């Protein structure tokens, strides 16, 4: 079956809801950890579940190249391949073409670019992206879009928005997996009228959910929040809304207040591998000498890492490049964002979201650099 | 308290026994995974326990440099620092001085050498090694010895054996941790009479257990087995015997048959990080193309990895340099060696060790390169 979204409560523009999938029902707002290459780096599915993470994102572009969608199809789909029995969303590859590919050439038909692995020439189209995602058998597939950098000219963005709309239609036309939902993506950069047009034309295609794309591509925070504001009002109430590539705690809160239901980002795992941890009082870097003999836990937190290990031990592992350090901090950072969404959901249900934001920010900006 | 060894059954020269420690009792023969920097690379203590691993080894030299024994002492000892509540054996640093150090200069007083991290000048003596180990508060400390390469002249080895005996005495004299046992190390290379002398003089110092050192330093397998034979007959029956640095399955079996009780090696975790797995039918390398669409488990095995993941998935992780791959194979490879010791203990108890060896080797040499 396709996913089923239920809107259950609204506080300001923030929404508390549930999404039913073939692999269980989860509550929204929800943060999705990123499992680029069919694993959330260093972690097992059991560890993800222990953080109360309910849905992960995996990357079509990466899986298309390695191991190839054919291998995953033969394994029985991505869930079986990686032994993960929760819902999975796959992106379309559009963002990776933007961020990883060299010498790309965008035409009406699709994008020609060089592989980030071996430099070989690749050609990705809306049809290929959707067909690959059909084979991966994720629960939610994403439309193939162009994700322009920031800033680009209005003239370029106008053409890009129109092309992304045509690509969305082409992808939808070939989508052929009755168990898989398909989301459209609103683009338009920082141009209010283009966001409006992109939103209105995308919803005409009647997707199972809608993403706001083209954020986290170099713009400042007020611009990012305006991009959300310019699009979200046009999206239907009865479908989930997903803000792509956003994982900073403050941005998650600002997104939720504006009506976003889903988020994803590599931030918690990437920060972890570099020795950084989210805490109630802002980010800290465990490499800092002041933690050398700090035998307290990283944060006021209920995760495995905080229950079992001290800052001094994590600092030791991180400074010695022992990968267990990044693994333990990944668990903590993911739990931090999942717990944030848990608290946001409670605040929405109790109509005290703005108070929650104020309290969170008062604490979080204390150490934040 | 010091450890208590109980010899419970003998088959040929192989011994089934138990060792009681402050952190629980374990059966021997036993293989010890190596946790160089206060962690068995990529793994948590819970994962080690799930493999039925009962005691780990950690490295004095590495912990002396990072984070320093003072930090670990302040944490309450190595067990608390790394949150591991099973027994720990620490080596003395002698082997790392042999294998890692540049430009070493050995004198009667100790060894001057360059740090493998930053090239700084270091000086390690029997007294420093033992005092560091006292602070680490491991359950079993090892004497500081010289581990000469293979081959060296008889003349050199004669002097080295005598010096190692004097170092053993000096270390024992300063050892000052009533909860910690101390093992002596028999050296002597491939020289039968020097092994005999080293063994007889070392046991005069009355240690809590005895190691056979100076193996796995470049000699061939028959020579290694002869080194064991030349020493082990002189060691007391009522103390545990530990063959240092040995982790190849065949060598473990040959060691057990000769009367060895304990083994350690980085082999299972190092092989795993390079994509290799022990199997009943010999080692396999998961990078091999033939596993690309092999959706069977790595081995006939009861470990987490074999219960949950396929060769195709592990191959994908390994070829993409995803550290989860090495982590999952580490779990399997450690479980493989631990299960080997479980089977060896059963075979000893049932007086069928030679039959077990024949059966194991018949299978294991099928794929072994």
């Amino acid at each position: 079956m396709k996913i089923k979204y239920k809107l259950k409560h609204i506080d300001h523009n923030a929404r508390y809801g549930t999404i039913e999938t073939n692999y269980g029902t989860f509550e929204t707002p929800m943060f999705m950890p990123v499992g680029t290459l069919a694993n959330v780096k260093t972690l097992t599915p059991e560890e993800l579940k222990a953080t109360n993470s309910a849905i992960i994102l995996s990357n079509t572009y990466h899986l298309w190249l390695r191991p190839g969608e054919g291998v995953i199809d033969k394994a029985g789909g991505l869930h079986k391949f990686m032994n993960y029995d929760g819902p999975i969303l796959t992106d379309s590859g559009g963002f990776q073409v933007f961020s990883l590919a060299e010498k790309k050439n965008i035409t009406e038909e699709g994008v020609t670019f060089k592989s980030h692995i071996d430099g070989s020439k690749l050609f990705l189209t809306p049809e290929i992206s959707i067909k690959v995602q059909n084979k991966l058998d994720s629960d939610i597939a994403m439309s193939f879009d162009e994700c322009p950098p920031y800033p680009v000219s209005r003239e370029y963005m106008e053409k890009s928005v129109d092309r992304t709309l045509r690509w969305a239609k082409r992808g939808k036309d070939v989508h052929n997996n009755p168990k898989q939902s398909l989301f459209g993506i609103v683009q338009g950069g920082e141009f209010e009228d283009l966001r409006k047009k992109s939103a209105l034309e995308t919803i005409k295609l009647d997707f199972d959910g809608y993403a706001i794309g083209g954020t986290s591509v170099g713009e400042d925070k007020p611009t990012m929040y305006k991009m959300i504001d310019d699009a979200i009002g046009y999206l239907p109430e009865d479908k989930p809304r997903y803000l792509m590539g956003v994982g900073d705690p403050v941005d998650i809160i600002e997104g939720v207040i504006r009506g976003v239901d889903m988020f994803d980002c590599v931030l918690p795992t990437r920060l972890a591998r570099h020795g950084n941890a989210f805490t109630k009082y802002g980010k800290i870097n465990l490499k800092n000498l002041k933690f050398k003999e700090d035998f307290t836990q990283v944060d006021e937190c209920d995760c495995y890492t905080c229950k079992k290990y001290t800052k001094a031990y994590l600092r030791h592992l991180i400074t010695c490049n022992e990968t267990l350090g990044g693994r333990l901090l990944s668990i903590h950072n993911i739990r931090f964002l999942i717990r944030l969404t848990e608290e946001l959901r409670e605040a929405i249900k109790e109509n005290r979201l703005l108070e929650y934001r104020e309290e969170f920010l008062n604490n979080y900006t204390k150490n934040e650099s």
Side-chain angles (χ1 to χ4, degrees), chain A:
Chain A
M1 61 157 219
K2 306 269 183 181
I3 61 161
K4 288 179 190 154
Y5 174 74
K6 280 188 194 155
L7 174 58
K8 298 199 163 173
H9 192 84
I10 294 181
D11 179 15
H12 293 81
N13 288 320
R15 296 143 49 99
Y16 166 68
T18 57
I19 296 179
E20 193 185 341
T21 77
N22 290 310
Y23 289 86
T25 299
F26 63 90
E27 297 176 298
T28 54
M30 178 56 75
F31 174 79
M32 301 183 283
V34 175
T36 302
L37 280 155
N39 77 117
V40 176
K41 284 190 195 303
T42 75
L43 302 183
T44 62
E46 289 83 357
E47 285 169 322
L48 286 171
K49 292 209 171 160
T51 70
N52 209 22
S53 161
I55 171 171
I56 59 167
L57 178 145
S58 199
N59 295 106
T60 297
Y61 166 80
H62 288 283
L63 298 176
W64 179 48
L65 297 190
R66 297 185 300 188
E69 72 281 9
V71 171
I72 293 176
D73 188 29
K74 282 181 191 162
L78 187 52
H79 299 83
K80 278 199 176 167
F81 181 64
M82 63 184 288
N83 190 47
Y84 178 77
D85 66 356
I88 302 174
L89 180 148
T90 44
D91 66 4
S92 65
F95 186 78
Q96 278 71 36
V97 168
F98 153 72
S99 66
L100 290 176
E102 279 182 74
K103 295 197 184 172
K104 52 184 170 280
N105 181 33
I106 304 173
T107 64
E108 184 61 26
E109 180 59 15
V111 191
T112 310
F113 60 99
K114 279 191 170 179
S115 158
H116 77 292
I117 301 170
D118 60 7
S120 61
K121 197 175 159 183
L122 297 168
F123 184 54
L124 194 54
T125 67
E127 289 81 6
I128 292 170
S129 170
I130 296 297
K131 284 178 182 173
V132 170
Q133 293 184 75
N134 281 177
K135 281 196 171 180
L136 296 178
D137 201 28
S138 55
D139 300 277
I140 301 172
M142 298 301 298
S143 283
F144 186 69
D145 60 335
E146 188 195 354
C147 182
Y150 175 87
V152 293
S153 69
R154 188 193 153 79
E155 193 189 350
Y156 185 91
M157 188 59 85
E158 227 174 319
K159 283 183 190 162
S160 173
V161 162
D162 287 343
R163 186 164 49 211
T164 285
L165 283 167
R166 291 190 294 271
W167 285 2
K169 169 102 177 44
R170 279 166 54 190
K172 191 159 192 295
D173 286 345
V174 299
H175 185 265
N176 185 22
N177 182 335
K179 290 185 300 171
Q180 187 179 60
S181 301
L182 181 61
F183 279 22
I185 303 177
V186 178
Q187 290 287 353
E190 79 278 27
F191 305 103
E192 190 177 339
D193 60 329
L194 296 183
R195 283 280 174 190
K196 178 180 176 182
K197 178 185 176 185
S198 178
L200 291 176
E201 295 298 318
T202 304
I203 64 171
K204 279 188 193 163
L205 297 172
D206 192 23
F207 286 101
D208 303 306
Y210 297 92
I212 298 169
T215 64
S216 300
V217 291
E219 79 283 7
D220 54 28
K221 279 177 187 284
T223 303
M224 185 212 285
Y225 303 153
K226 187 176 170 297
M227 287 173 174
I228 305 171
D229 289 330
D230 289 345
I232 206 159
Y234 304 107
L235 300 179
E237 268 217 327
D238 62 345
K239 297 283 169 66
R241 301 142 172 197
Y242 158 34
L243 182 62
M244 302 180 84
V246 168
D248 178 82
V250 176
D251 295 341
I252 288 178
I253 295 175
E254 294 299 330
V256 164
I257 282 177
R258 287 166 170 79
V260 174
D261 306 304
M262 298 161 71
F263 302 84
D264 83 283
C265 197
V266 296
L267 194 67
T269 43
R270 182 171 290 166
L271 283 176
R273 291 196 302 280
H274 292 95
N276 295 288
F278 293 127
T279 82
K280 183 176 181 178
Y281 301 106
K283 279 203 297 286
I284 59 173
N285 190 317
L286 271 301
K287 289 182 186 169
N288 196 310
L289 189 64
K290 72 178 172 189
F291 300 124
K292 188 169 183 179
E293 297 185 354
D294 185 336
F295 301 113
T296 64
Q297 64 190 57
V298 167
D299 194 17
E300 299 166 25
C301 174
D302 56 2
C303 80
Y304 168 76
T305 303
C306 286
K307 279 190 282 189
K308 299 278 187 175
Y309 303 96
T310 64
K311 293 194 197 80
Y313 181 62
L314 293 165
R315 179 184 189 278
H316 162 68
L317 294 177
I318 294 284
T319 54
C320 294
N321 292 318
E322 293 287 275
T323 56
L324 180 61
R327 177 185 159 195
L328 294 174
L329 286 181
S330 292
I331 289 173
H332 168 72
N333 284 346
I334 289 174
R335 176 63 192 144
F336 184 92
L337 293 186
I338 296 292
R339 193 155 41 81
L340 173 63
T341 61
E342 290 170 1
E343 291 171 2
L344 286 166
R345 294 196 296 267
E346 287 311 302
I348 295 168
K349 285 194 268 186
E350 295 166 7
N351 299 308
R352 54 175 179 78
L353 185 58
L354 296 189
E355 296 93 303
Y356 177 81
R357 172 172 67 172
E358 192 181 342
E359 189 188 312
F360 182 91
L361 291 178
N362 275 346
N363 287 317
Y364 193 72
T365 49
K366 278 189 183 157
N367 285 344
E368 182 79 334
S369 54

